[in-house]
Amino acid sequence: MSRLFDVKDVDRRFYQERLKGFLPEKIIDVHAHVWLKSFRKAPPTGRAVTWPLHVAEENPVEDLIETYELLFPGKSVKPLMFSFVESHEDDFKAANDYVSCAAREHGFAALVFASPQWSAQRLEREIRQGAFLGVKVYLTLSPADIPVDQIRIFDFLPHHQLEVLNERGWIVMLHIPRSGRLRDPVNLADMVEIERRYPNAKVIIAHAGRAYCPEDVGDAFAVLSETKRLLFDISANTNAAVFEQLIRTVGPRRILFGSDLPITRMRMRRICENGNYVNLVPKGLYGDVSDDKHMREVEGEQADALSFFLYEEIDAFRRAAQATGLTPEDVEDVFYGNAVRLIDPNEGRA
Ligand SMILES: [Zn+2]
């Protein structure tokens, strides 16, 4: 059987030398997407980047499991998983049914991909029927007449849904909107409001608030230092300086490992140029990327040295953990313990 993607010497060395000893034996990945391409009907909306689809058109649960085996040999990795829905024309029902069945079959945890158009009752019914632990929401599902830069969190995660999520103590995976990313004052105010008004909802800010470059930070960490509960996943972020500030601000108990697979099985290294992140990728590997300001092709030695996006993410966190003096127990919390307490509070109390 041919494998899903190549693991080369450069990857094996990266894993052996920098990651294997740093990572605990058991890992929970709180941010993994599984879907089949047949669920997605609509072309991209222009509200989200398109480069991720060059890496994988779909990610069946079997591919996710194979990816864990290829990337983390010798470790046990389990996901908190959800679908990948970007448009109201996509098939929510098929997408969520697929995740629910896959979760049941493999004993994995899962979130429902929620539409902001759902009533509170509908949301509660969908979560209970699918045995989900909460919701994944996404900005592209906001009402169509809102310009992309003016989308607010409550446009795609409405208050009536937050009320029910709060009441039940359910999980919310939240990718914040707006081009200002983490430093955006509207985002920060809305995040603080969510923590204050919905203290029982378990809100995870994805990708460390999309602060991929130093320019994305602003005074975000000063504002966030006043929060007590918001959680942050490190998925698809490779910025060690941002992780360092995050650790110093919220501590290791509020940080969770997430992969954002399948996009992070991409072979790449990320740089920042004047506040814009650029993914350096081997020439020709991911189709025509010439019109994407976040993608740049490299060749020769530079291309040969590239390993996986997910390895770059974990290595950046490793460097931040070292700089802030995290203990192995702290690291185990980030990669496992915090997620166990989130997903299975009874087990976490033991
Ligand atoms: Zn994601």
Side-chain angles (χ1 to χ4, degrees):
M1 199 180 85
S2 87
R3 291 184 308 177
L4 192 57
F5 53 89
D6 289 334
V7 177
K8 305 197 295 188
D9 276 344
V10 65
D11 308 313
R12 280 184 280 268
R13 263 201 314 275
F14 197 133
Y15 181 72
Q16 284 292 336
E17 289 169 12
R18 297 192 243 174
L19 307 183
K20 189 168 182 260
F22 171 70
L23 291 168
E25 297 310 304
K26 288 201 282 187
I27 297 171
I28 296 178
D29 167 10
V30 301
H31 192 138
H33 295 269
V34 292
W35 78 97
L36 303 183
K37 62 185 173 203
S38 58
F39 306 153
R40 291 172 57 87
K41 300 288 185 293
T45 59
R47 281 173 157 188
V49 292
T50 53
W51 57 263
L53 282 171
H54 290 299
V55 180
E57 276 188 316
E58 62 178 7
N59 197 38
V61 68
E62 293 79 13
D63 286 7
L64 179 66
I65 293 166
E66 185 178 354
T67 301
Y68 289 148
E69 289 167 359
L70 289 170
L71 294 185
F72 301 103
K75 309 280 185 186
S76 151
V77 190
K78 287 186 173 187
L80 170 63
M81 61 187 187
F82 34 87
S83 191
F84 177 45
V85 175
E86 288 189 294
S87 158
H88 290 286
E89 288 165 53
D90 293 345
D91 191 340
F92 277 77
K93 180 169 167 31
N96 287 321
D97 284 351
Y98 177 76
V99 173
S100 174
C101 290
R104 193 170 312 127
E105 194 178 319
H106 295 278
F108 294 161
L111 304 177
V112 74
F113 215 109
S115 165
Q117 296 173 353
W118 291 352
S119 68
Q121 292 80 355
R122 170 88 186 269
L123 182 75
E124 175 149 14
R125 195 174 69 233
E126 296 277 353
I127 290 174
R128 290 196 185 285
Q129 282 179 354
F132 294 109
L133 302 180
V135 297
K136 166 74 167 102
V137 295
Y138 199 44
L139 63 106
T140 55
L141 301 170
S142 304
D145 55 346
I146 306 174
V148 63
D149 264 352
Q150 285 168 38
I151 294 173
R152 288 181 68 156
I153 292 168
F154 304 118
D155 293 323
F156 58 97
L157 176 60
H159 289 286
H160 67 266
Q161 294 188 353
L162 276 160
E163 276 160 25
V164 89
L165 295 163
N166 182 56
E167 212 168 293
R168 305 296 178 208
W170 280 330
I171 297 170
V172 181
M173 178 59 76
L174 175 58
H175 171 119
I176 62 173
R178 309 168 78 86
S179 56
R181 303 168 182 271
L182 190 61
R183 72 160 195 279
D184 185 289
V186 174
N187 277 341
L188 286 166
D190 290 350
M191 287 158 63
V192 170
E193 179 180 347
I194 287 172
E195 164 157 312
R196 185 174 46 80
R197 284 177 64 179
Y198 307 106
N200 295 318
K202 297 165 179 158
V203 179
I204 305 169
I205 306 297
H207 320 306
R210 300 169 63 231
Y212 303 131
C213 293
E215 291 83 351
D216 300 328
V217 172
D219 67 350
F221 289 108
V223 175
L224 293 170
S225 69
E226 289 159 35
T227 64
K228 300 243 166 352
R229 282 177 289 269
L230 286 176
L231 302 163
F232 296 82
D233 85 33
I234 62 170
S235 66
N237 192 322
T238 63
N239 193 311
V242 168
F243 289 160
E244 205 180 311
Q245 288 172 279
L246 181 67
I247 293 167
R248 292 191 200 283
T249 304
V250 307
R253 292 286 287 242
R254 289 168 56 194
I255 303 175
L256 298 153
F257 167 64
S259 69
D260 210 16
L261 281 167
I263 67 164
T264 47
R265 69 180 208 228
M266 178 181 230
R267 193 171 284 289
M268 70 84 126
R269 184 167 65 83
R270 178 171 285 177
I271 58 168
C272 288
E273 285 176 347
N274 307 315
N276 180 49
Y277 75 83
V278 181
N279 302 330
L280 304 179
V281 299
K283 189 172 170 61
L285 197 56
Y286 299 113
D288 180 9
V289 298
S290 56
D291 61 349
D292 191 328
K293 69 171 180 170
H294 295 302
M295 295 282 280
R296 186 178 306 157
E297 296 188 318
V298 295
E299 295 178 76
E301 261 176 48
Q302 216 188 344
D304 293 341
L306 295 172
S307 187
F308 301 112
F309 187 173
L310 187 50
Y311 282 3
E312 293 285 343
E313 171 195 319
I314 297 169
D315 193 51
F317 189 80
R318 182 187 62 78
R319 284 177 278 134
Q322 199 163 40
T324 52
L326 292 191
T327 65
E329 291 72 30
D330 294 332
V331 173
E332 182 158 9
D333 273 340
V334 170
F335 284 86
Y336 184 72
N338 297 339
V340 170
R341 284 181 282 273
L342 190 72
I343 289 167
D344 188 351
N346 295 322
E347 191 175 329
R349 251 198 310 274

